[in-house]
Amino acid sequence: MKQPQALKRLEKLIGKWTISGRSLNAKEDDIKGTATFEWILDGFFLLNKGEMQTGDIKIQSWSIIGYDSETDTFPEMVYGNMGSVALSYHWQIKGNEVTHWTKGSKYTGKFSKGGKLLDGGWRADGAKISPVNTYDATMHKIE
C-alpha cells in the first residue's frame, strides 16, 4: 500500500522539538517540554512522544496520528500519565497554518518560513479557561 498523499502535510512535524510556553497570567515562561515526531508502520501513522512541565505538573504522553479522508483531518489518540483513558485530538495542517484541537480547547499556530519554529497558542473553545487549555507555546526543531 502507498501512503496517502495528505500524510505528507505532517512531514514538517518530523523530528525532535523543544517546547516553551507561558500561561496567560504568567510574567515569564512557565511551560517547558519536548516532543518527538516519527513515522511508524511504513509512514501510515505518526508517533508523537511528548513531555511537558507546567508548575508542579509533569505530563508525559505518547500519541498516534493518522489521516481521515472524509474530514481531511489528522485524528490523534493521546495516551498519557494523566489518566488511563486515551484522549481524542485532531490536527489540520494547510501550508504553514496549524490547527490542533480537542473538546474544549484549540491550538492555532504557524510554521516559520524554514519550518524550524512553530509558534501559536491554545485557547479555551467552549470550555472554562484554565492553565491546561489557555497558554502560548513555541516549538523549536532541534533535530
Side-chain angles (χ1 to χ4, degrees):
M1 287 188 99
K2 187 177 175 187
Q3 178 192 54
Q5 184 68 24
L7 284 167
K8 295 193 184 316
R9 296 195 323 244
L10 298 175
E11 189 68 34
K12 292 178 182 182
L13 292 170
I14 301 298
K16 184 169 184 172
W17 300 77
T18 60
I19 303 167
S20 60
R22 183 176 299 193
S23 52
L24 292 185
N25 295 325
K27 295 191 184 329
E28 59 187 34
D29 285 353
D30 57 351
I31 299 168
K32 296 178 185 170
T34 60
T36 302
F37 294 86
E38 60 187 85
W39 290 116
I40 60 172
L41 301 175
D42 295 326
F44 279 88
F45 295 93
L46 197 59
L47 175 65
N48 174 12
K49 296 182 267 185
E51 194 169 287
M52 279 184 42
Q53 182 82 33
T54 177
D56 293 338
I57 301 170
K58 183 175 185 176
I59 301 167
Q60 296 172 307
S61 64
W62 283 38
S63 67
I64 298 174
I65 305 166
Y67 178 66
D68 180 348
S69 62
E70 288 185 25
T71 62
D72 190 34
T73 63
F74 303 97
E76 175 183 35
M77 293 305 293
V78 180
Y79 305 86
N81 66 333
M82 301 299 286
S84 61
V85 175
L87 302 174
S88 176
Y89 283 75
H90 287 84
W91 289 80
Q92 183 56 273
I93 299 177
K94 292 199 174 182
N96 288 327
E97 304 288 326
V98 177
T99 310
H100 187 202
W101 68 95
T102 188
K103 184 178 180 181
S105 188
K106 183 178 182 179
Y107 171 87
T108 54
K110 193 174 212 176
F111 282 106
S112 64
K113 188 174 183 179
K116 301 235 181 231
L117 179 80
L118 177 57
D119 195 34
W122 283 93
R123 297 295 181 264
D125 187 22
K128 183 179 176 183
I129 293 173
S130 77
V132 176
N133 68 16
T134 307
Y135 61 91
D136 292 328
T138 302
M139 292 174 49
H140 294 269
K141 188 180 270 191
I142 58 173
E143 291 180 14

